[in-house]
Amino acid sequence: MNASEHGFNPAFNMATIKQAINEAVERVRMPTPMRLRDLIRQIRAARTAAEERSVVNKECAYIRSTFREEDSVWRCRNIAKLLYIHMLGYPAHFGQLECLKLIASPRFTDKRIGYLGAMLLLDERQDVHLLITNCLKNDLNSTTQFVVGLALCTLGAIASPEMARDLAAEVERLMKSPNAYIRKKAGLCAFRIIRRVPDLMEIFLPATRSMLSEKNHGVLITGVTLITEMCENSPDTLNHFKKIVPNLVRILKNLILAGYSPEHDVSGVSDPFLQVKILKLLRVLGKNDVDASEAMNDILAQVATNTETSKNVGNSILYETVLSIMDIKSESGLRVLAINILGRFLLNNDKNIRYVALNTLLKTVHIDTSAVQRHRSTILECLKDPDVSIRRRAMELSFALVNSQNIRTMMKELLTFLEKSEQEFKAPCSSSIVLAAERYAPNKRWHLDTLLKVLVAAGNYLRDDVISSTIQLISETTSQQAYITLQLWQALAEDKMDKQPLIQVAVWAIGEYGDLILSATVDDVNDIVKPAEGDVIEVYQRLLWSPQNSPATKQFALMSLTKLSTRFIHTNNRIQQIVSSFCSSLHIELQQRGVEFSQLFGKYNNLRGALLERMPPMEVVRGGNDIQTNGDMDESEDKTNENSPQHVNTESNVLLDLLGGSDSSDLDVIKPSSIPNQPISNSNNQDLLDLLGGLDLSAPVSTTDTGMGLIMENNNGSIPLDNSDTSNFLMGDILNTNLINEKNVPTLTAFDKNGLKIVFSLEKMSESNMVSIHLTATNSTISNMTDFLFQAAVPKAFQLQMLSPSGTIITPNGQVTQTLRVTNPNKGVLRMRIRLSYTIDGALIQEQTEVNNFPTHIWD
Amino acid sequence: MMQFMLLFSRQGKLRLQKWYVAHPDKLKKKITRELITTILARKPKMCSFLEWRDLKIVYKRYASLYFCCAIEQDDNELLTLEVIHRYVELLDKYFGSVCELDIIFNFEKAYFILDELLLGGEIQETSKKNVLKAIAAQDLLQEEETPQGFFEDHGLG
C-alpha cells in the first residue's frame, strides 16, 4: 500500500523497465543504417588504403548482420551500398540472394536496385539461376512496362543457356507486344538468346520479319541487329532474308534523303547508328550473291558520295560502307570509290580515322595494290607515329607494298623502324625484312648488307631461321665473302649488347673465311681497319668467357676458333690454349667440344687441315612456308604445295652430306618430287658461276620458296612477273597433258647389281630443254625389296624434279616406276649421281653410283 | 556486340562496369586492372583504339573520366565512339552538366541510363528523348511509392 502511495509499483515498474531496456537493446541492435551517400563520403574521406578497408569491412559486417536478420525495410539501401563496395573491388557475393529478394518485392524501387544488383553480382555460373528464372518469368508478365523492361534488360545481360531455353517463349510473346518500348527490348533479348543457344532461332523467325516494317527507330535497329545475328548463324535463314534487301535499301534511302529530324540527328547525319547496322546487314546479305549485290550497288554509292565527312560520325558510316563494298560482289567502279575513300582517310588529321584506314587497306590491299601504292609515303610516315596501334598496322601494310621497284627506299625506312621499335615488333619485322630482301634484293651485296643491318638492329629478338638463312646466303655468295666477313667482324667488335644472333653469324663467317679478312683488298675494306690475328683472338676470348653468351653461341665460337687455327698463321698456340681450357668446362656440350677439338691439335694434328676445310657453298633450301606474309595464297601455289612432301629438306640434306665428302661439291641436290615453281633469279647466276669449279656452266638457282609467292600475288597488279616463272608454269602444263612426244631415245641401264636393275627410258619434251626420265626398277631376286628409295643429284647447271615413286616395295619380278624431269638450259653434258637404298631379307642395302652415259643428242 | 564497358578516373579508380559477357569475378578484375593500366599509360595524342586479345578496345576521355568499351572484330570502332558520346550526352542531360562526382554518388542512375541506351551489348534506342523519357518515368514511379519526407530516410539516401 505504502509503496503504491509512493508511486512504487514493483510489477508496473518492472514492466516499464523491461520495455525500456528492450527498446534500447532493439535500437542498439537495429539502428537506422547509414545512408549510401554517407558511406561514399566516408570511404572517400579515407586517407589510406587501410583506412578505407576498415570503413568497408565495418559496413560489410553490418550489412551481413541485417541480411541475417531478414531486415526488409533497409534491404534496398544496404544492397545499393554493397554494390558501391563491390565496385571498389571488395567481395560482395553474399548479397546475391538478397538481390533476388528485392526482385521479388512488389515495390519498383526494390526491383530496380534488385535487378541492377543481379546484373552486377550474378553471372551465369551461379546456382541461384533457377530462382532468378522464376522471378524473371513473373516480371515478364507484369502489367507495368518498366518492370517488364527491367526483366528483359537483365535477361539480355546474364542469360545462361538454361535461362534462354526457359524464357525464349516469353520473349517471343513480348516481341509481338503492341508497346514499342517492350518490343525493342524483347528484340535484343532474342538476339542474346540466339547467341547463347542458336537452336532457339526458329521460334523467333515470324516475329522478327515484322520488326522491319516499323517506324520506331528503336524497334528497327534491334530488328536489324537480330536479323544480322540470325543470318550469320545459318545459311538457310540467310537465304530466307535475302528478300528483305529492297526493304533495307528503302529504309536507308529514307534516312539519307529525309530532311533534318531533331530526334535522330547526330551532327547533321540522320541516325548513324541505324545506318551502320543496316550497312552491316547488307554486307552479310550481299556476300557471294550477285543479285543481292546488284540490288544494293546504287544505295552504297549514294551513301558513299552523300555522307558528310567533316565529323567522326560521317566517317563511321563511310567506313562501314567501304567494308560492305569490299565484301559484296560490287561493281568495279564502286570498289575504286571505296579505295579512294580510304585514301582520303589516310590524309585525315584524326588519328582514329587514319588507324581505321590502315586497318582496312591491309584487308583490301590484294584487290588493288597500285591504288594503295599511291599512298605509300603516307603509310611510311605512319611508321613513325607515336601510337603503337598505328605503327603495327603501318608496318604490316608497308611489307605488303614492297616490290622490286621500291625495295631500297622501303627497306631504308623499315630498317630504321626496326632499330627504334619496341621488342614486340622486332621478331615479326625482322623476319618480314629478311623475306622481302630475299625476294626483291637488287644484288647480293645489298642483300647481305640488309641482313647485317637486321642482325644489328633486331638484337636478340631475331627468329632462328634468320640466322641460318643468313649463313646460307654468305656461304653461297662466294664473291662477297671477304666483304661481308669484314663487315661482320666490325659489327662484332663494336657490339656491346651481346646480340646472340649477330655473334653466331659473325663467328661462323669469321671461322670459315678468317683468312680472307686478313688478306682483304681495298675494294672489300672501304673504311674498315683490317684486324690483326691477335685482335680476333682477343674478341673470341671475350665471347667465350662472357657469361652473357648462351652455350649455343659459345659452341659457334669454339668451332669457329678451331677452324681459325688452320686459317691463321701466328696464333695457333693461343687458339690451342683456349680450346683446351674448355676440356674442363662445366657445360657438358662445351666440354665435349673442347676435348674433341683438343685432339685435333695433338694426336690427330695431321687430320686438322682437311677436317676444318672451308665448307662447300650451301644449297638454297629456303623454308618459305614457315614464314607467313600478308595476303592470301595463290591458288596454283596451293596446289603445288599439296604435292610437295614434307620431308624434302631432310632428304636432300642427307644427300648433301653424302656428296660433301667427295669432290662433287658442285652438284646441285634436288628434292624428290619437287614442283615446277622455281622462279629463276638472274642475279644469282654471276655469283654462282664462281662456285662451279668442275663444271663451267652458268647456273640458275632454283628457289622453291612458296612464301615468296604470296608477295608476288600481292603485287600482281603492279609488277611484271619474271618471265622464267611464267614459262615454268607453262611447261608444267605441257608436261601434265603429255601432248607431244617428239623424239624417243633408247633406254639405258643405270644400275644392275644384286638382282636390282634400274633402267632409264628418256623422253624429250617439246620446245623445252627438258627431258623426262622414266625409271623402272625391277627385282630379279626371290625376296621382297622393301623401303626402296631412289635419290639423285645433278650438277647445278641442271634442274631436276622427281615425282613420287609408284611404290616403295618391289616384289620378286615386280617393278617400281618413278619419273624424273631434267631441265638443261645450257645443253651441257648430263651427269647424275644416284643413291639407292632398300631392305632385303632384313638387311639394309645402300648403293651409290654415277650415271655418265646419257646420250647427248637428246638435248638437240 | 559490345562485351563490356568500363568507366574509370584518371587516378585509375573504377567508376562503373557493365559486362555483357559472363566472366568469373577474378577475371573481370584482372581485365579491368590490365586495361586501366594500359590506357592510362597512353599519351593523349594517341588514337582511341587498342588491339587487345581478340577484341578491339575503344576508349575516350571526357574531363577526368575515361570511357572504355570492348567490341568484337566486326564491330565499327568509329561508331563505338559515337555510342560513348551518346552516353555522355545522356548523362549530361540527366544530371545537368555532369561531373565525375555525379557518377560516383549516383552510380545507380548512371547504370539505369546505360541500360536504356544499350541492352545485351547492342544499341536499343537511338533517340535521346526516348531514353530520357523512360528514365524520368521510372524515377517518377519510384517517387510515387515513397511517401513525402520518407524518401530521405527510406530510399537509398
Side-chain angles (χ1 to χ4, degrees), chain A residues 35 74 77 89 108-109 112 181 184 192 263 271 277 312 316 319-320 352 355 387 389 393, chain B residues 20 29 42 45 47-49 51 72 76-77 82 116 122 125-127 139 142 145 152-153:
Chain A
R35 294 184 304 179
W74 304 112
R77 178 185 286 187
F108 184 70
T109 313
R112 218 176 175 194
Y181 178 82
K184 69 180 184 195
R192 285 306 301 257
E263 201 175 339
D271 207 336
K277 282 278 176 233
N312 175 68
S316 73
Y319 170 43
E320 199 72 31
N352 296 334
Y355 169 85
D387 192 321
S389 314
R393 286 287 160 265
Chain B
Y20 296 109
K29 274 190 197 165
R42 284 171 65 89
K45 286 266 169 79
C47 81
S48 302
F49 312 129
E51 287 146 64
E72 290 165 356
N76 186 325
E77 48 270 67
E82 294 299 323
E116 288 295 334
E122 291 283 355
E125 184 55 69
T126 61
S127 149
D139 285 353
Q142 228 176 302
E145 64 188 17
E152 268 301 288
D153 259 5

Side-chain angles (χ1 to χ4, degrees), chain A residues 556-572:
Chain A
F556 267 87
L558 197 57
M559 178 72 225
S560 162
L561 185 67
T562 313
K563 284 205 165 193
L564 281 180
S565 71
T566 63
R567 317 250 193 293
F568 285 4
I569 306 151
H570 312 293
T571 42
N572 254 339

Side-chain angles (χ1 to χ4, degrees), chain A residues 788 804-810 815-818:
Chain A
F788 174 73
S804 302
S806 61
T808 57
I809 299 170
I810 318 178
Q815 66 174 35
V816 162
T817 59
Q818 188 169 8

